């Protein structure tokens, strides 16, 4: 199990395993939130502390809500909205020490053309944590 924390330490995220990969996306949501996402089933993560939720107001059909620490503002995770239920949850791997993620593959993805949760992403580059370029 590995633990990550927001900047002020009031929110902790615990993972039962390392992520399969880390997604660095260039869409508006990912760039503005500053996140490097990994994906887990809900039962594989434990989040402690208080977070606030934000849903984008500039799109009609939100399928994700971003969660962040109410004290320091660090993005912690995203979750599916009730209108688009899913067991998958996105965790911000920037909460974890880089050494704890050594060797995890990284994908750079072009998400700017993604309009709904069924669209596919184009992978534009790859690496892994520890190669000097991935994070």
């Amino acid at each position: 199990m590995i633990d990550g924390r927001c900047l002020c330490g009031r929110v902790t995220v615990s993972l039962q395993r390392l992520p399969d990969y880390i997604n660095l996306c260039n869409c508006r949501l990912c760039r503005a939130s500053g996140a490097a996402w990994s994906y887990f089933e809900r039962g594989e993560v434990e989040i402690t502390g208080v977070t606030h939720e934000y849903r984008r107001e500039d799109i009609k059909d939100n399928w994700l809500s971003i969660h962040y620490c109410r004290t320091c503002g660090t993005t912690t995770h995203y979750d599916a909205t009730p209108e688009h239920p899913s067991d998958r949850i996105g965790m911000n791997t920037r909460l974890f020490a880089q050494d704890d993620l050594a060797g995890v593959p990284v994908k750079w993805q072009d998400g700017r053309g993604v309009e709904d949760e069924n669209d596919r992403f184009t992978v534009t580059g790859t690496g892994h944590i520890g190669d000097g370029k991935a994070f």
Side-chain angles (χ1 to χ4, degrees):
M1 181 176 293
I2 62 170
D3 292 327
R5 289 172 185 72
C6 66
L7 186 59
C8 71
R10 288 182 173 89
V11 178
T12 300
V13 173
S14 299
L15 305 176
Q16 293 180 6
R17 62 175 177 83
L18 287 174
D20 295 329
Y21 66 94
I22 295 169
N23 179 29
L24 294 170
C25 179
N26 64 356
C27 79
R28 174 91 173 108
L29 176 98
C30 293
R31 289 178 55 79
S33 67
W37 300 113
S38 60
Y39 311 101
F40 296 89
E41 296 297 316
R42 206 171 290 287
E44 295 180 300
V45 301
E46 180 182 340
I47 301 165
T48 57
V50 178
T51 63
H52 282 281
E53 174 186 22
Y54 172 74
R55 291 189 194 182
R56 290 179 65 174
E57 298 169 355
D58 61 331
I59 58 176
K60 288 183 180 181
D61 190 23
N62 282 305
W63 67 90
L64 299 176
S65 62
I66 297 292
H67 292 258
Y68 58 95
C69 173
R70 71 179 188 157
T71 302
C72 67
T74 301
T75 300
T76 56
H77 65 288
Y78 77 65
D79 205 349
T81 60
E83 299 81 17
H84 298 273
S86 174
D87 274 341
R88 184 171 103 151
I89 188 169
M91 304 308 304
N92 183 4
T93 54
R94 295 195 188 275
L95 301 176
F96 300 89
Q98 192 168 356
D99 290 345
D100 289 345
L101 300 171
V104 174
V106 177
K107 298 177 185 179
W108 284 267
Q109 296 187 5
D110 183 6
R112 289 179 294 173
V114 173
E115 295 182 15
D116 67 40
E117 76 264 34
N118 298 313
D119 286 346
R120 295 193 184 272
F121 289 84
T122 301
V123 175
T124 60
T126 61
H128 65 274
I129 300 298
D131 67 6
K133 64 178 183 176
F135 230 39

